[in-house]
Amino acid sequence: MASVHESLYFNPMMTNGVVHANVFGIKDWVTPYKIAVLVLLSEMGRAGGSAIGLLERRRLNQLLLPLLQGPDMTLTRLHKAIDESCPQLANSVQIRIKLMAEGELKDMEQFFDDLSDSFSGTDPEVHKTSVVGLFLRHMILAYNKLSFSQVYKLYTALQEYFQNAEKKAAAEEAEMDMTSPEGQLLGTMEREELDVPSRDEEISCSGPLSQKQAEYFLSQQASLLKNDETKALTPASLQKELNNLLKFNPDFAEAHYLSYLNSLRVQDVFSSTHSLLHYFDRLILTGAESKSNGDEGYGRSLRYAALNLAALHCRFGHYQQAELALQEAIRIAQESNDHVCLQHCLSWLYILEQKRSDSCVLLEHSVKKAVHFGLPYLASLGIQSLVQQRAFAGKTANKLMDALKDSDLLHWKHSLSELIDISIAQKTAIWRLYGRSTMALQQAQTLLSMNSLEALNLGVQQNNTESFAVVLCHLAELHAEQGCLAAASEVLEHLKERFPPNSQHAQLWMLCEQKIQFGRAMNDGKYHVADSLVTGITALNSIEGVYRKAIVLQAQNQMSEAHKLLQKLLVQCQKMKNTEMVISVLLAVAELYWRASCHTIALPVLLQALALSREYRLQYLASETVLSLAFSQALNILHMAIEPILADGAVLDKGRAMFLVAKCQVASAASYEPQKKVEALESAILNLNEAKGYFAKVDCKEQIRDVLYLQARLYHMLGKAQERNRCAMLFRQLHQELPSRGVPLVSHF
């Protein structure tokens, strides 16, 4: 069928086999599929309002726009789409097309002559300026311009279009008649053979797309790539369609830009750069920019080409090339006095220089200029970046939330729904950074509720953007921290469905899944499994990978190797100003000193971690540090950390806190009177039971072993032989299952 379309519609526009650049000069042309759509419109007009119910007419009206704008489809699929909306009308359309295809050429001629009557009379069926009216007029005009030979070829194509549908219907009826097991198996195989190439068959039957069809296809795929990548064509299929589109019109700039977006999905830096440059070259060649912007169009394309090239290099981590392209864009924009382009350049300049000390001043200047020139999108992004920077600098949460509230006012005022999602994701991350897991969970649920309500009420595509992926990853980690591993697994499965491995945001859930699996393996004492996960974590985030490698080495009693690795990581994180990781590394170093029984050396390290966590208001890390200090000091400072840990801490940390309380009670009971000592030991046993319950939630067998050991000792001191023997038996089972450590169990935190 593709050859019929090429010979019928494109030969007049070809010279020596080359399609001219103005291939889309013809807005539309007649195809068998469009004749079928015209038959549908004719039957809807003839049926009137009485024959078709209100609900069915509403469904048909919703169906019409995709049929008019979308690519051609097979008659079988078209009939199915109409049948789902109005079965009675689907039968009438099928009969009308059959009479036309099995009749004579004059039947098709008469059909087009009758179409003009739709506009006649005082109360016409179709208004000339409506969407349907414009489509009818385009089809009538395109048909009247055809020569007799072209009309004959069109009629032959219509007959073949109908016969293909009849053959497929006959094949499906034959499948229904197969009742034997062998026949059912054969029918299944034939049906699979028919279903697999259906997509290619529909595209090939349409031939080259008209301008409207091409624009609709490109806008639809671009929207899906932005909001719901899973519903867009696969990268290979989309590139095949774009190559087919560019074969007939190599200068179609929008197709090159969609090819650029498609290449970004698979992280293909060469193809994405190639397509981006072609897009701006075609804008200049076709004169599209010059027509809309006068003499300024050529320069505008050049400076935005350089700006987009800088953004592309920045995305792939080529910061030196990005800076050179950005300097070129700034130079051209300054020569043209383009303040809007300069504001975009200023935003990207901040991204490239955000590690410098003066980047905050640059960002504040960018926000002021964006507000001055009426660029709410850039202004909001600038405020979001300022909030993020000040969160890392240790500003109070109330000031940050006030700034985000001002940003939200801009979002709602200008209907910037994408930035609303980013703002909520930002709040979720800030609350987690400050150790407020309950508030983080509330913000995450807010974003999830907003998107689910939007999809339910408006019937739009789900918002599968980066902010949505970030919030779901936070949700999975929060559930895992509270010991709800089944719920965390369900969230991860949902992430995998919405963000397949080949999608651009898949790395977020991949890292989240690896971190959760690493935590489970460490809790189970399966250090070899945890060590195998380090490679995957390092590939996604080198800092996290090195930190977890040191944790594994520490658990395997390779203290010197772990200490060297942590010291290198500490220097690197201090250079990058990654305060959160610096504190975590300091806590890990302090634990190494505990295991070596060097508590005096661990103390200054812990004080340094505590000073940093309080300076940057990282409450959760501060509480962990105070717990560590309490282990080195005594019970009198433990109350400083116990409340935040029990309120917002992870289940594992809650267990460690209660375990430490019990240890401190045992240590302080040594100087008590006999009666008071018994009460203190019984209270310690109750706290140990609570700690054991927390550890059991996350299946942390190593910590459960330590709790059982201490409980057995306490029951022995109290003279409770039966309880002592039960704890000793459980301890022995776990001790045989888990690897032993080279430090006393009771003295280890």
Side-chain angles (χ1 to χ4, degrees):
M1 286 295 290
S3 60
V4 173
H5 286 281
E6 291 171 18
S7 63
L8 180 57
Y9 305 114
F10 282 86
N11 277 343
M13 293 177 283
M14 296 181 67
T15 305
N16 297 326
V18 179
V19 182
H20 288 177
N22 65 345
V23 64
F24 288 145
I26 296 180
K27 294 289 184 181
D28 240 330
W29 49 79
V30 187
T31 64
Y33 163 75
K34 289 175 183 174
I35 292 177
V37 176
L38 290 172
V39 170
L40 169 63
L41 295 174
S42 176
E43 290 297 319
M44 286 179 65
R46 293 172 64 180
S50 58
I52 304 176
L54 181 61
L55 183 59
E56 292 177 338
R57 180 167 291 276
R58 183 179 299 171
R59 291 173 183 168
L60 287 170
N61 290 337
Q62 292 176 343
L63 176 66
L64 277 180
L65 194 59
L67 294 181
L68 298 179
Q69 294 182 335
D72 293 5
M73 62 176 71
T74 60
L75 183 58
T76 303
R77 187 160 175 243
L78 176 63
H79 181 269
K80 182 180 179 182
I82 302 172
D83 186 66
E84 291 175 354
S85 301
C86 181
Q88 179 184 354
L89 196 62
N91 294 331
S92 302
V93 171
Q94 185 76 4
I95 294 171
R96 186 85 175 270
I97 295 175
K98 180 178 181 180
L99 292 175
M100 192 185 304
E102 294 180 351
E104 299 178 354
L105 181 58
K106 65 179 182 180
D107 295 328
M108 188 176 71
E109 287 277 358
Q110 185 61 43
F111 171 72
F112 276 93
D113 290 339
D114 295 340
L115 283 179
S116 302
D117 297 338
S118 303
F119 304 109
S120 61
T122 56
D123 188 15
E125 298 174 0
V126 180
H127 293 282
K128 291 184 178 182
T129 56
S130 65
V131 175
V132 174
L134 290 172
F135 176 74
L136 288 174
R137 289 162 63 190
H138 287 159
M139 290 297 100
I140 294 171
L141 182 61
Y143 181 80
N144 291 335
K145 287 184 176 181
L146 295 178
S147 64
F148 178 77
S149 60
Q150 291 174 330
V151 171
Y152 179 74
K153 287 182 179 179
L154 176 62
Y155 184 68
T156 305
L158 177 64
Q159 290 178 320
E160 186 177 351
Y161 182 71
F162 174 74
Q163 289 168 5
N164 288 338
E166 288 289 300
K167 290 178 183 177
K168 189 170 183 179
E172 290 177 354
E173 289 180 2
E175 290 176 15
M176 296 292 291
D177 294 337
M178 293 182 180
T179 55
S180 64
E182 295 82 2
Q184 291 177 357
L185 178 61
L186 180 61
T188 303
M189 294 173 62
E190 290 177 354
R191 183 167 59 254
E192 290 175 352
E193 292 174 358
L194 286 172
D195 290 343
V196 169
S198 62
R199 173 69 181 156
D200 296 333
E201 176 189 346
E202 290 162 11
I203 293 169
S204 64
C205 92
S206 67
L209 301 178
S210 67
Q211 180 182 6
K212 288 184 178 180
Q213 288 177 324
E215 290 174 351
Y216 178 75
F217 172 75
L218 294 179
S219 63
Q220 182 188 50
Q221 291 299 316
S223 176
L224 289 174
L225 287 183
K226 178 183 177 183
N227 296 323
D228 196 359
E229 192 177 338
T230 57
K231 291 185 173 61
L233 292 177
T234 61
S237 301
L238 180 56
Q239 195 59 46
K240 181 181 177 182
E241 297 305 319
L242 292 172
N243 292 339
N244 183 51
L245 190 61
L246 291 170
K247 179 177 70 173
F248 294 103
N249 184 12
D251 294 329
F252 195 16
E254 288 77 6
H256 285 289
Y257 192 79
L258 186 59
S259 177
Y260 155 70
L261 296 178
N262 191 43
S263 299
L264 285 181
R265 297 167 69 188
V266 292
Q267 305 295 313
D268 188 348
V269 60
F270 175 77
S271 298
S272 56
T273 307
H274 179 78
S275 298
L276 182 64
L277 294 177
H278 270 288
Y279 166 69
F280 285 101
D281 288 345
R282 266 50 186 188
L283 278 184
I284 297 171
L285 287 174
T286 56
E289 288 290 314
S290 298
K291 290 177 183 178
S292 59
N293 297 282
D295 296 333
E296 191 62 26
Y298 179 80
R300 186 176 188 275
S301 294
L302 288 180
R303 56 182 175 268
Y304 278 100
L307 178 61
N308 279 270
L309 190 61
L312 176 64
H313 284 304
C314 188
R315 181 189 182 102
F316 286 105
H318 307 154
Y319 298 113
Q320 187 175 0
Q321 294 91 327
E323 191 169 355
L324 292 173
L326 191 60
Q327 289 174 359
E328 180 70 12
I330 293 173
R331 184 186 62 81
I332 303 174
Q334 286 176 337
E335 291 176 355
S336 305
N337 200 27
D338 188 345
H339 295 288
V340 175
C341 183
L342 283 172
Q343 279 309 115
H344 284 278
C345 292
L346 189 59
S347 300
W348 280 104
L349 189 63
Y350 161 73
I351 293 174
L352 291 175
E353 299 185 358
Q354 58 183 333
K355 299 301 180 183
R356 299 184 183 179
S357 58
D358 59 344
S359 60
C360 186
V361 178
L362 186 68
L363 187 56
E364 290 177 354
H365 180 68
S366 173
V367 172
K368 291 177 183 177
K369 284 289 186 181
V371 173
H372 175 72
F373 291 110
L375 302 172
Y377 193 91
L378 279 181
S380 176
L381 283 178
I383 294 173
Q384 300 278 355
S385 299
L386 270 175
V387 168
Q388 186 182 71
Q389 191 179 65
R390 288 172 178 172
F392 290 137
K395 300 297 180 182
T396 56
N398 61 330
K399 292 182 179 179
L400 298 181
M401 293 304 157
D402 286 342
L404 286 175
K405 181 184 68 176
D406 297 337
S407 177
D408 289 338
L409 291 177
L410 275 177
H411 302 158
W412 293 108
K413 181 179 179 181
H414 298 279
S415 300
L416 302 174
S417 58
E418 181 182 358
L419 293 182
I420 294 172
D421 298 346
I422 294 175
S423 177
I424 297 176
Q426 182 95 288
K427 292 174 186 176
T428 305
I430 289 173
W431 284 123
R432 280 209 71 198
L433 178 68
Y434 285 170
R436 301 288 188 176
S437 59
T438 305
M439 294 300 298
L441 186 62
Q442 182 187 45
Q443 291 297 325
Q445 294 289 356
T446 300
L447 182 58
L448 295 177
S449 301
M450 285 179 58
N451 281 274
S452 62
L453 287 174
E454 184 180 7
L456 179 65
N457 295 336
L458 302 179
V460 298
Q461 304 291 347
Q462 285 182 321
N463 188 8
N464 288 356
T465 56
E466 183 180 12
S467 56
F468 200 85
V470 168
V471 164
L472 281 173
C473 288
H474 280 304
L475 200 61
E477 290 180 354
L478 287 169
H479 279 89
E481 287 177 0
Q482 299 303 320
C484 304
L485 298 176
S489 299
E490 289 182 8
V491 175
L492 286 171
E493 287 300 321
H494 182 67
L495 272 164
K496 292 176 183 178
E497 291 177 5
R498 300 190 68 167
F499 302 93
N502 61 345
S503 62
Q504 54 185 335
H505 304 312
Q507 290 185 356
L508 294 171
W509 63 257
M510 288 179 180
L511 179 60
C512 176
E513 183 181 35
Q514 296 275 345
K515 288 163 68 176
I516 292 175
Q517 289 178 352
F518 178 87
R520 293 187 66 177
M522 290 297 295
N523 291 340
D524 289 342
K526 300 176 181 178
Y527 303 136
H528 63 286
V529 177
D531 195 22
S532 65
L533 293 169
V534 168
T535 306
I537 296 175
T538 307
L540 296 168
N541 189 318
S542 59
I543 299 295
E544 291 281 351
V546 173
Y547 173 69
R548 278 165 173 74
K549 179 65 177 178
I551 296 299
V552 173
L553 291 174
Q554 175 184 319
Q556 293 173 340
N557 290 324
Q558 300 180 35
M559 301 302 181
S560 59
E561 292 84 353
H563 186 265
K564 291 177 183 178
L565 206 57
L566 287 171
Q567 289 297 331
K568 290 180 182 179
L569 182 60
L570 181 62
V571 173
Q572 184 181 358
C573 292
Q574 286 173 341
K575 287 182 179 179
M576 297 174 60
K577 297 182 179 179
N578 188 348
T579 309
E580 187 178 8
M581 184 55 72
V582 167
I583 298 171
S584 299
V585 172
L586 288 173
L587 290 175
V589 171
E591 188 171 350
L592 284 176
Y593 292 141
W594 301 336
R595 293 202 172 189
S597 299
C598 301
H599 298 282
T600 55
I601 303 176
L603 186 59
V605 177
L606 289 171
L607 291 175
Q608 182 185 357
L610 182 60
L612 283 173
S613 57
R614 286 184 172 175
E615 179 184 354
Y616 290 93
R617 290 179 171 80
L618 305 178
Q619 177 182 303
Y620 183 63
L621 289 173
S623 300
E624 284 193 350
T625 309
V626 172
L627 276 179
S628 304
L629 280 169
F631 175 74
S632 300
Q633 297 298 304
L635 187 62
N636 57 352
I637 64 170
L638 185 58
H639 68 276
M640 297 171 58
I642 195 70
E643 184 177 344
I645 288 290
L646 294 178
D648 296 304
V651 171
L652 181 61
D653 291 321
K654 291 178 183 178
R656 294 175 65 194
M658 297 308 300
F659 191 21
L660 180 57
V661 169
K663 286 183 180 181
C664 292
Q665 287 176 328
V666 173
S668 61
S671 59
Y672 292 169
E673 297 177 357
Q675 183 62 31
K676 192 175 181 182
K677 181 178 180 180
V678 170
E679 294 176 359
L681 293 180
E682 289 177 347
S683 176
I685 290 174
L686 293 177
N687 288 327
L688 287 173
N689 285 330
E690 186 176 351
K692 185 167 61 175
Y694 286 130
F695 292 141
K697 279 188 177 181
V698 290
D699 198 23
C700 188
K701 297 178 182 177
E702 187 176 348
Q703 295 279 10
I704 294 175
R705 177 181 63 177
D706 293 352
V707 171
L708 290 170
Y709 177 81
L710 185 55
Q711 277 187 323
R713 294 284 300 270
L714 294 179
Y715 280 128
H716 179 72
M717 293 171 65
L718 293 172
K720 298 181 178 181
Q722 185 176 357
E723 289 83 353
R724 178 201 63 190
N725 294 339
R726 178 176 55 83
C727 291
M729 181 190 65
L730 293 174
F731 165 78
R732 183 179 179 181
Q733 292 175 353
L734 287 175
H735 193 61
Q736 290 175 346
E737 179 182 348
L738 298 173
S740 60
R741 294 193 301 246
V743 294
L745 289 170
V746 174
S747 65
H748 172 60
F749 168 54

